[in-house]
Each structure stands twice: as structure tokens, then as C-alpha cells.
Amino acid sequence: MEIISGKAVSADIRQDIKQDALSFKERFGRAPALAVIIVGDDPASHTYVNNKIKGCAEVGFRSICQKYANGTPQEEIASFIKGLAQDEEVDGILVQLPLPKGYDEKYLLSLIPDSKDVDGFSPTNTGLLSMNRPNTVSCTPLGIMHLLASTGTQLKGKNAVVIGRSNTVGKPMAMLLLNADCTVTVCHSKTKDLSSYTKNADIVVVAIGRAKFLKGEMVKEGAIVIDVGINRVDGKLVGDVDFEEVAPKCSYITPVPGGVGPMTITMLLLNTLNAAIHRLA
Ligand code: NAP
């Protein structure tokens, strides 16, 4: 069994992004730029945003972080996003989710042009992925594809099971695996006899937000298991996989923390770089 280190894979990719950001700056006279908007005071969201801003600094990007108190009129936020959409010196725009109750998430996200949608959440970017013409792809599933690639495993023809069908993780994950010629099954909370699917899977991706959900008896020998879950149990971060039980049966497995997590921000940086290059090159 080998543990896939998201930290190591992520560090290598960030090194390349840093180099490319330098070349971008030499060519266009400015660094790639990411704008992040956060509303309210949810501590986890603030931690994620701080890490995104830190990530930008690490690879030499310019970042703009706009913080709004909960209760700020939606139109004030909307007009800020509209300004960023027009700004030639901003390459990526991200609204940190979830927004506090009362804000219209769909409306605010719709103000981000597809070319600056570095989260890959827009209907166009989602549709292009499902047509196997990917433009910008959701960061977490994209990061998982890099983790799978780091194992050197040939994906073509593999049986893959994705547990979870959210628009941001499960569905785009299933599309990426399908586009990579896997035979894909998507399971969710209404799936009956879920382990009958996972037991036959060469690759299992779990993205549900239930601590230690995937047990040893649910996976076959030699499977690759990717744990997306982030759950806080007694102050500790725990994944959706019961690592102690599942790891001995796997060929490869990601840990929590240090697996999928570090890749997500790295993919955001990569999407921002690519958005900048596509717009200007
Ligand atoms: P989400 O929007 O809440 O979706 C959860 C999905 O899991 C839903 O499709 C739900 O099914 C399914 N589900 C829930 N309980 C289940 C069960 N007992 N059996 C089978 N399926 C079940 O969550 P998300 O945004 O996709 O995130 C999933 C987890 O990944 C969370 O822990 C989140 O914190 C984590 N995450 C981590 C990263 C990272 O960078 N590491 C990034 C994003 C998310 P239904 O559709 O039927 O309700």
C-alpha cells in the first residue's frame, strides 16, 4: 500500500506555476491576478480564503480579497463583481461558498464571466466538461485527476465508483473519470446496497462528508481510494474513509489531512494561470 501525498504532488505543481507566473509577468508586464469575495464571518470559510490568498503570494500572483459583513446589500456585492468582470487586470474571480442565508448564490455567480470562472462552476464550464471539451474544471476533482496520474495507473477501462453527487465535487469527478475512459458509477444517499458497487471498484472516490463512512469490507484488494471528506471529530480532521481499516487493502490511498486538500488550492492557482494565459496570449 502506498499513501498518495497531496502535499508532495501539490508542491511540484506549485513550483511549475511559479515559473510560469514569472514568464507571464515578463511577457505581459503584470502577474496573474485572482479576486476573492467573502461574505460573513464563518471561520472555516475565512481559513479557506486566507489559504487561497497565501497560495497566490507563494506563486507570485496578485490577489484581491474583498470582505463583506453579513447583511451587506446584495447589489453592493453584485456591482463589485461586475467591476471585476470588466477589469482587464483581473484574471480569476471567486465567490467563497456557502454565502450566508438571504443571498442569491446563483445570481452572484452568474455575474462571473466564464473566462474568469476559475472555480469551474458556471453552467458553460460544467457543460463543456460533460461534453469532454473541458475549459475550466472544478478544482477538487481536477486535483484528484493529478493525484491519480501521480500513481502512474492507466485509467482506461477501470471500474470507478464516485460516492457523492454534488455539483462541485461528485458530478465533475464522475465526468472526468468518464472522459478518462473509466466505467463510472455514481452513488448517493438514495443508493441501495452501496457496498455492492464499491466492492467491485478499482477506484473509489468518496465525497460525502460522513466521518469514516467507507469501511474495509466495502473495498476490494488493490483498490485505489481517494478520500475527499473533511469532517471535524473531537477537534481533529477526519476523512470519509476509515483509514485504518481501508488502507491495508489498497494499492494507493490518500490521507486526511494531506491528501486531496492541498491539491484544491493548487488547482485554483493553475486555473487562474490558465485563465490569464487564455485571455492575454
Ligand atoms: P455535499 O454537497 O453535501 O454533497 C454530499 C453528497 O454526499 C450528496 O450527493 C449526498 O447524496 C451524498 N451522501 C451523503 N450521505 C451519504 C451516504 N450516507 N451515502 C451515500 N451518499 C451520501 O458535499 P460536497 O460539497 O460534495 O463535499 C463532500 C465532502 O468533501 C465534505 O466533507 C466536504 O467538506 C469535502 N470537500 C473537501 C474538499 C477538499 O478540498 N478536500 C473540497 C470540497 C469538499 P444526496 O445527493 O442523495 O443528498
Side-chain angles (χ1 to χ4, degrees):
M1 182 274 294
E2 272 187 53
I3 293 179
I4 310 173
S5 168
K7 270 192 198 162
V9 176
S10 169
D12 285 349
I13 299 173
R14 283 195 196 196
Q15 228 15 68
D16 292 344
I17 296 174
K18 196 172 175 178
Q19 266 320 110
D20 290 346
L22 259 182
S23 313
F24 182 94
K25 197 170 180 181
E26 274 164 19
R27 187 163 167 206
F28 299 108
R30 67 166 180 87
L34 173 68
V36 181
I37 294 123
I38 178 163
V39 187
D41 51 14
D42 176 60
S45 293
H46 276 271
T47 304
Y48 291 138
V49 166
N50 289 341
N51 288 337
K52 288 169 187 179
I53 300 300
K54 263 207 298 208
C56 284
E58 197 187 308
V59 297
F61 289 4
R62 182 170 77 95
S63 62
I64 298 155
C65 181
Q66 183 69 25
K67 297 178 180 169
Y68 289 105
N70 189 1
T72 305
Q74 177 159 288
E75 270 318 307
E76 190 180 328
I77 300 169
S79 80
F80 186 71
I81 298 174
K82 286 176 192 166
L84 293 171
Q86 299 294 324
D87 190 333
E88 281 307 314
E89 302 214 330
V90 170
D91 304 296
I93 307 170
L94 177 161
V95 175
Q96 186 65 36
L97 301 178
L99 289 166
K101 279 202 181 86
Y103 289 95
D104 184 347
E105 189 177 297
K106 261 194 220 143
Y107 165 62
L108 288 175
L109 292 185
S110 76
L111 302 172
I112 302 172
D114 293 322
S115 60
K116 297 189 180 188
D117 167 39
V118 283
D119 257 340
F121 292 168
S122 78
T124 302
N125 282 324
T126 308
L128 285 170
L129 174 63
S130 74
M131 296 168 83
N132 200 5
R133 287 165 44 200
N135 177 38
T136 304
V137 175
S138 181
C139 299
T140 301
L142 185 62
I144 292 170
M145 293 307 281
H146 282 266
L147 292 179
L148 290 171
S150 77
T151 68
T153 305
Q154 157 91 265
L155 297 181
K156 189 189 276 185
K158 293 280 190 294
N159 287 335
V161 168
V162 178
I163 316 178
R165 56 174 166 179
S166 67
N167 289 332
T168 50
V169 186
K171 279 185 203 159
M173 186 73 251
M175 284 302 164
L176 284 167
L177 290 166
L178 190 60
N179 293 346
D181 292 330
C182 289
T183 302
V184 183
T185 306
V186 182
C187 297
H188 46 78
S189 71
K190 310 294 183 295
T191 300
K192 288 185 182 139
D193 194 10
L194 190 142
S195 60
S196 68
Y197 300 98
T198 54
K199 271 181 192 160
N200 287 313
D202 304 304
I203 299 166
V204 183
V205 179
V206 199
I208 60 176
R210 303 276 181 275
K212 297 191 178 189
F213 174 88
L214 193 78
K215 300 290 180 191
E217 78 230 15
M218 296 166 79
V219 296
K220 74 172 185 184
E221 288 289 339
I224 299 177
V225 172
I226 306 289
D227 189 351
V228 186
I230 302 177
N231 310 286
R232 256 166 237 280
V233 178
D234 301 330
K236 266 182 72 180
L237 280 191
V238 180
D240 288 346
V241 175
D242 190 329
F243 189 87
E244 281 71 32
E245 280 192 16
V246 174
K249 295 184 81 175
C250 295
S251 55
Y252 294 95
I253 187 167
T254 59
V256 174
V260 174
M263 293 300 289
T264 297
I265 293 181
T266 299
M267 291 302 107
L268 173 69
L269 300 172
L270 187 61
N271 283 348
T272 304
L273 175 71
N274 287 334
I277 293 170
H278 285 150
R279 287 182 49 254
L280 294 191

